[in-house]
Amino acid sequence: MNKEEALRIILESMPSASLSWIDILAALLTPTIALIALYIAYQQYKINQQRLRHETYERRLRVYKAVQAHLSIILRAGKTSYQECTLFYSEASEAAFLFDNSVMDKIDEIYRKSIDMVGLHEQLYPSDGSAGLPVGEERSKVSHKNSELLKWHIAQLVETKEFFAKKIGIKTT
């Protein structure tokens, strides 16, 4: 056997390299199916995100209404009480589970300033019916601080509406 015949035998024993259309399509089938499955999984993810946002809408709205109700009581009466502050905080505390931290921070701020307002009002008009403790210039300072807190709470009516509008909606940004 010579070199040419050995080379011919080797070449004939190798599979032919020509691919038919069927072989090419069969090779592309698996990656195509994987891409379709990936697209379907992504769509399911988006749908689940929207469903969750839709299902929590009513609960989010309830938190917003609790904030607005508390601020409206302060606007209407010009004061608040420890009981109203406690009720507000308990109604709005679900925000920790429904929103990001910024909403709970806002609720905490409103609560703290409301408690401060109760303390100042108690100094000016004690609930036991006695005369207010501060007199003269000191009373004016306490009254001014109380007035500033009242103005702050009134401004929060508009600010919280805009603030919650970004956080509460169903439409994602």
Side-chain angles (χ1 to χ4, degrees):
M1 198 175 344
N2 63 18
K3 292 181 187 180
E4 292 176 2
E5 193 172 310
L7 186 59
R8 185 182 58 78
I9 292 173
I10 291 173
L11 289 176
E12 287 177 359
S13 66
M14 293 179 64
S16 65
S18 84
L19 295 175
S20 68
W21 281 102
I22 294 173
D23 293 334
I24 293 171
L25 292 176
L28 292 176
L29 184 61
T30 303
T32 304
I33 291 172
L35 287 174
I36 291 170
L38 182 65
Y39 176 75
I40 290 171
Y42 176 71
Q43 291 299 319
Q44 286 292 336
Y45 169 77
K46 285 177 54 177
I47 289 169
N48 287 336
Q49 290 292 96
Q50 289 174 344
R51 182 180 302 138
L52 177 65
R53 195 153 179 87
H54 178 70
E55 289 172 356
T56 59
Y57 176 78
E58 289 297 323
R59 294 169 67 192
R60 290 171 180 246
L61 188 61
R62 211 173 330 146
V63 171
Y64 168 71
K65 286 182 178 182
V67 171
Q68 290 297 99
H70 179 69
L71 294 172
S72 295
I73 289 170
I74 293 173
L75 173 63
R76 184 173 50 251
K79 62 180 182 168
T80 188
S81 68
Y82 289 119
Q83 293 83 9
E84 289 170 351
C85 291
T86 304
L87 178 65
F88 155 68
Y89 199 75
S90 69
E91 289 176 349
S93 64
E94 190 178 12
F97 306 105
L98 299 171
F99 295 100
D100 59 18
N101 290 340
S102 66
V103 174
M104 201 60 211
D105 291 344
K106 184 63 140 175
I107 289 169
D108 287 340
E109 180 183 24
I110 292 170
Y111 176 73
R112 281 191 312 274
K113 291 200 181 214
S114 296
I115 293 294
D116 291 345
M117 189 175 186
V118 172
L120 291 172
H121 193 269
E122 186 66 25
Q123 285 180 22
L124 294 170
Y125 310 102
S127 57
D128 63 2
S130 64
L133 293 178
V135 290
E137 184 65 30
E138 183 65 25
R139 185 170 180 86
S140 295
K141 288 179 185 177
V142 171
S143 179
H144 179 71
K145 287 179 188 176
N146 190 51
S147 175
E148 290 299 315
L149 281 174
L150 178 61
K151 289 176 186 175
W152 183 87
H153 280 86
I154 292 169
Q156 291 307 300
L157 274 169
V158 174
E159 288 181 27
T160 55
K161 184 176 182 180
E162 295 168 0
F163 179 75
F164 273 90
K166 298 173 188 168
K167 308 274 183 185
I168 204 168
I170 293 175
K171 187 169 84 171
T172 59
T173 55

